[in-house]
């Protein structure tokens, strides 16, 4: 078993862990970095290929746990996202809203650059779009608390109530 910290280490936000076990690559959370000093990390590419991940396990819907899912999907992740039903419902609201904000931010920046007749150092584009968010919502498969979900012959995952926000879960693999 190998666990790699891809975020929320020496910082609070950007929760993202890669757990390699039983022949599977499991990503636990795919959160947005929200501290001002780490915002640029949202634009970094993931150190593992998105298409090589077998499952994404979402602990809960807060943006710092779910906020980069649409970017992961845009970058090639097309497998299942497992969460509780409440987390899936909340993620729909949060991810669609986040995508909308990303699109508006990019438009606002473009307008400002035009008005000020200047160009930023990087092309202005949203981190991800509402289309990316919609595509990621199609990948959700919900699991109930306490209901073991077999991922392969070696790995079974069970979500347990974490008592954090509605739908939040801790899990045993
Ligand atoms: Zn949280």
């Amino acid at each position: 078993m190998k666990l790699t910290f891809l975020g929320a280490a020496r910082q609070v936000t950007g929760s993202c862990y890669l757990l390699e076990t039983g022949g599977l690559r499991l990503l636990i959370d795919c959160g947005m970095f929200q501290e001002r000093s780490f915002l640029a990390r949202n634009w970094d590419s993931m150190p593992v290929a998105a298409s090589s991940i077998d499952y994404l396990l979402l602990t809960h819907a807060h943006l710092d746990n779910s906020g980069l899912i649409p970017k992961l999907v845009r970058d090639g992740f097309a497998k299942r996202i497992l969460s509780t039903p409440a987390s899936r419902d909340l993620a729909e609201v949060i991810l669609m809203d986040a995508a909308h904000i990303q699109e508006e931010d990019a438009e606002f920046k473009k307008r400002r650059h035009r008005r000020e007749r200047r160009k930023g150092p990087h092309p202005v584009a949203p981190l991800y779009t509402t289309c990316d968010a919609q595509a990621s919502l199609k990948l959700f498969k919900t699991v109930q608390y306490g209901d073991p979900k077999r991922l392969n012959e070696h790995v079974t995952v069970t979500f347990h109530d974490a008592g954090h926000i509605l739908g939040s879960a801790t899990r045993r693999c």
Side-chain angles (χ1 to χ4, degrees):
M1 181 184 290
K2 188 177 165 200
L3 181 65
T4 310
F5 293 79
L6 303 177
R10 295 187 181 167
Q11 68 194 107
V12 176
T13 66
S15 173
C16 189
Y17 311 95
L18 177 68
L19 177 63
E20 293 167 277
T21 185
L24 291 176
R25 294 185 116 185
L26 310 173
L27 199 66
I28 300 168
D29 288 346
C30 189
M32 188 178 280
F33 296 96
Q34 293 178 282
E35 294 100 331
R36 182 172 281 272
S37 53
F38 291 113
L39 287 180
R41 286 190 66 181
N42 289 318
W43 297 85
D44 291 350
S45 47
M46 178 92 59
V48 289
S51 58
S52 73
I53 296 160
D54 297 300
Y55 286 92
L56 169 56
L57 310 179
L58 180 63
T59 62
H60 63 292
H62 275 154
L63 194 67
D64 62 320
N65 301 85
S66 70
L68 291 186
I69 292 175
K71 181 174 168 246
L72 187 76
V73 171
R74 190 202 55 211
D75 291 348
F77 175 76
K79 306 274 181 57
R80 287 281 177 218
I81 301 169
L82 302 183
S83 79
T84 62
S87 288
R88 190 250 165 246
D89 291 350
L90 288 172
E92 177 168 3
V93 176
I94 288 171
L95 297 182
M96 290 303 290
D97 184 53
H100 192 63
I101 289 170
Q102 299 295 333
E103 289 173 338
E104 283 199 328
D105 273 0
E107 275 313 305
F108 179 80
K109 213 178 235 180
K110 274 186 203 163
R111 277 200 304 274
R112 201 183 63 201
H113 286 177
R114 268 200 303 272
R115 201 173 53 238
E116 296 172 1
R117 294 173 197 279
R118 66 180 177 91
K119 271 199 166 129
H122 310 291
V124 180
L127 182 59
Y128 51 79
T129 65
T130 46
C131 282
D132 300 322
Q134 274 161 348
S136 62
L137 293 168
K138 292 196 182 116
L139 302 179
F140 274 76
K141 186 165 171 49
T142 58
V143 287
Q144 302 290 341
Y145 288 134
D147 195 2
K149 169 86 182 142
R150 197 175 141 93
L151 305 185
N152 72 4
E153 65 274 29
H154 305 296
V155 183
T156 298
V157 64
T158 310
F159 284 66
H160 298 276
D161 188 354
H164 179 46
I165 62 164
L166 184 68
S168 61
T170 177
R171 81 254 121 236
R172 249 174 247 143
C173 282

